[in-house]
Amino acid sequence: MSSSSSTKAGKGKSRPSTAISLSRRAGVQFPVSRISHLIKDGNYAERVSSSAPVYLSAVLEYLSAEVLELAGNVAKNNQKARILPRHIVHAMRNDSELFTLLENVIIADASLLPNIDEDFLPEEEKGEGKGSASEEL
């Protein structure tokens, strides 16, 4: 027999014809490899495990989906077809968990929700009020 046979030379699993990205393997939409490079280039730690960027991309994907869903509901309630920065702020401020997570975040071009501190509101006098007009009659 000749040295060039029709059988495979190597044993074991064959390689896929196309490369599969880390995001596709993990089942997430956010770029796992980009997040991995950002973590490593940011010098947050000397060593980074291979599962850390996968976990972080999944968390970021979940948070962005949650914010976008709530902002879409706010936009729909305001009869708008687009999500504006104001809708995102409104969604963040009305959800208690997102509010605690993002309470120090400022979004550009999104006006603030009306929130007046009680100390700045005028105090009503004790003798005058809503019931005082009916008492005089």
Side-chain angles (χ1 to χ4, degrees):
M1 289 245 186
S2 67
S3 63
S4 62
S5 63
S6 63
T7 62
K8 253 187 188 179
K11 293 182 180 179
K13 296 180 182 178
S14 63
R15 285 188 168 179
S17 60
T18 58
I20 299 174
S21 68
L22 292 174
S23 298
R24 180 160 296 203
R25 285 185 200 166
V28 295
Q29 299 295 317
F30 271 47
V32 173
S33 59
R34 181 179 293 181
I35 291 175
S36 175
H37 288 296
L38 289 173
I39 291 174
K40 290 176 184 177
D41 293 342
N43 290 328
Y44 298 109
E46 289 182 20
R47 301 168 67 186
V48 177
S49 72
S50 61
S51 62
V54 174
Y55 191 85
L56 182 58
S57 62
V59 168
L60 291 175
E61 182 177 333
Y62 170 74
L63 285 175
S64 61
E66 187 75 22
V67 169
L68 286 175
E69 180 185 355
L70 293 173
N73 293 341
V74 171
K76 194 174 187 180
N77 290 343
N78 290 335
Q79 299 170 348
K80 302 286 183 182
R82 282 188 194 147
I83 296 175
L84 300 175
R86 178 164 177 77
H87 298 147
I88 295 173
V89 169
H90 195 70
M92 287 178 0
R93 298 297 182 234
N94 287 335
D95 189 60
S96 63
E97 293 172 347
L98 284 177
F99 179 71
T100 56
L101 180 66
L102 304 169
E103 63 185 339
N104 295 325
V105 172
I106 298 173
I107 296 180
D109 293 334
S111 58
L112 297 174
L113 293 178
N115 185 16
I116 301 172
D117 194 10
E118 293 180 4
D119 295 336
F120 296 121
L121 292 175
E123 295 180 18
E124 294 181 9
E125 295 184 57
K126 294 180 183 177
E128 297 178 15
K130 294 181 182 179
S132 63
S134 63
E135 292 174 1
E136 291 176 6
L137 294 175

